[in-house]
Amino acid sequence: MISYIIIYGLVNSVTLALIAIGFSLTFGISGVANFAYGGFYLLSGYLTWMLLNYLKLPLVLAVFLTVGIVALIGFLTYWVILLRVRGIPLSEVIATFALGVGILELFRWAGFVTYEFTLPIFIKGGIEIAGVPLDYQRLFIIGIGLALVIFLYIFTHHTRIGLSFRGIAQNEHTAISLGIESDWTAALSLSLGSAMAGLAAIAILPLGIISINVGYDVLLIAVAIGIVGGLESVPGILVASLILGYAQVITGLYLSPEWMMVVYLAAIVIVLAIKPSGLFGKFKQLEERV
Amino acid sequence: MTIRYRKERLDRGIKVRTEDIFALSSYKEILYLVLPRALPVLFLLIFPLLKGLVGLYWEKVLIITCITALLALSWDLLASVGLISLGQALFFGAGAYLTGYLNHSFGWPPLVTIPLGTLGGALFCTLFLLPVLRIRGVYFAIVTLTLPLLLVRVIEATKILGGTEGLSGLSRLSENIWVELYIPVLALFLCLFGFRRLINMDYGLVLQGIRDNDLAVMSGAINIHKFKAQAVFIAALAGAFPGAFMTHYYQFVGMPAFALDFSILPLTCAVLGGVGNFAGPLLGAFILVPLSEILRAFGTLRVVFYSAILIVCVVGLPEGIFHYLERKYHQFERLVKVA
């Protein structure tokens, strides 16, 4: 039982982190809350499905194409829509939210709701760790999650673009005065966040069917983990994913799987009551802003 | 050298004349002042009487329109304090479920449950949102988006309040159709004129000040958290009443009360009509809801349609239809030579 909780808790935590990290990254860098995140996630799922089934592409090619296309869509979202309303939170929030809902409901209308819409798992089969069976797909998720965190660390600490991301995140005006372009960086951050949504979708969706509600759930999960961990903080996201991931597995085991969504609500309520800016969140409290 | 022109915008003569007591000098000027205010009111009061002419179906559309307009007004009040709500369904659902619960468990009549449901639902929402009010930025939007979606899951999982099946067989609001028709209309008047009054008072000035510069308001020794909480409570009242009403109107309350439709439709109405003076959301609701009834055959494509309207309005027509019409009514444009 203990080994089950440890292993599946880890799988669940990494899944949650994979889902949440793209949203948090975009918000942390450019301050844009990308409410179209769930839409992009599901769009990637259906895009891969279409590339595989209509064009009969090999899986690897389809994966790279999907991530590239979704990144481009994220970039264009910023350049076409958000650039015009930048700095007006009301318009930014409404525009991205409407885009996300629009994408999801368009797929629902187009009839992408039946059971045939599933993505293939990468390699069939599984292994047994400490008496707990674990399939390769879940191992892949853990691997992708770890690789992503390492990639992000290297990217933001040792590359030119990554450093300019952090510069904009820390102080936009100083960064601009040093020649870092704010709009370009923000568009790239949205693009990167969308690409991560795509990557998460391709890794996680093979475990179930692709349905429209998954899109809303993903946004819900990303936001819930953001609230608990602190929206703009990557360490906060990781810690919150671990806490919520294990809490969910334990709840699912001892109560019932439906209660897993209740964990989010409980966590949000508790965190908001104790530390509204999230466990690792900073600069969000009004008093700290001066 | 070519002669170039620029557009000049000037107040109409009649507008300048009617700004003062001279309004009383002629019928034309009185009508200029009164008509835009009186026509919608008269329309709303008379429309239910035309039941035989337009049919019961469109009377029901009127009820839905008023309900949506109330939610949109509630959204606009929050927006005047600088709080962006993506979850009007939270208010609607809280009011609906509390009313349904009171009626279902204790058998109290609608006359008692609707006021109690409205008050209690608003109080519940305010308490839930209280911690978020201390944080700036998009947090309010994020939390209001998540709460209704999560509360549905809680009801589903814990099977409280009827679980997935909801509470049905509630008592009917009234056997008299006029009561059902006029209550939403009157509530809409109360909200519209009450909110317009509120925002023009000193109290409303503080609320708008919080939206524009919260630190400046704080430096005026005003407790902005108190004001924000009060604004959320007032907006939640306007949002919970429709829920309470619809519970008894349908004689049913269930998980659809927290559905996303109740969040995105009022939002679209407010943005389409124009944010800021409460007449805009009303206009938006009276355009969009009947339109969406006509487009009923398109099913979920309507939500895509709302989303498209939202994006186009936010990017292309940020002032909204109402402000556009208001400008045309008060001002005229002409081309002037550029020297």
Side-chain angles (χ1 to χ4, degrees), chain B residues 202-277:
Chain B
D202 286 357
Y203 186 85
L205 203 63
V206 176
L207 297 186
Q208 284 171 309
I210 294 173
R211 174 194 61 194
D212 294 334
N213 191 337
D214 43 4
L215 288 180
V217 178
M218 279 172 97
S219 67
I222 291 170
N223 183 354
I224 66 165
H225 302 309
K226 210 172 84 186
F227 273 88
K228 275 187 181 175
Q230 287 168 355
V232 169
F233 181 69
I234 297 171
L237 279 180
F241 174 77
F245 174 82
M246 288 314 260
T247 299
H248 279 297
Y249 180 67
Y250 285 141
Q251 305 174 31
F252 165 76
V253 57
M255 299 196 332
F258 282 116
L260 199 67
D261 303 12
F262 289 115
S263 302
I264 192 160
L265 188 53
L267 175 67
T268 316
C269 294
V271 172
L272 176 72
V275 184
N277 67 352

Side-chain angles (χ1 to χ4, degrees), chain B residues 77-151:
Chain B
L77 184 69
L78 287 176
S80 336
V81 201
L83 301 167
I84 312 156
S85 154
L86 290 182
Q88 292 302 96
L90 173 66
F91 304 143
F92 187 92
Y97 260 105
L98 190 62
T99 310
Y101 175 73
L102 289 177
N103 185 261
H104 191 262
S105 307
F106 306 113
W108 292 348
L111 204 62
V112 182
T113 55
I114 290 185
L116 273 183
T118 308
L119 270 174
L123 205 61
F124 171 80
C125 296
T126 314
L127 287 179
F128 244 100
L129 295 175
L130 215 48
V132 199
L133 298 179
R134 304 194 78 86
I135 316 174
R136 298 176 68 249
V138 295
Y139 255 81
F140 190 79
I142 286 174
V143 173
T144 47
L145 172 73
T146 25
L147 280 181
L149 295 176
L150 281 176
L151 283 173

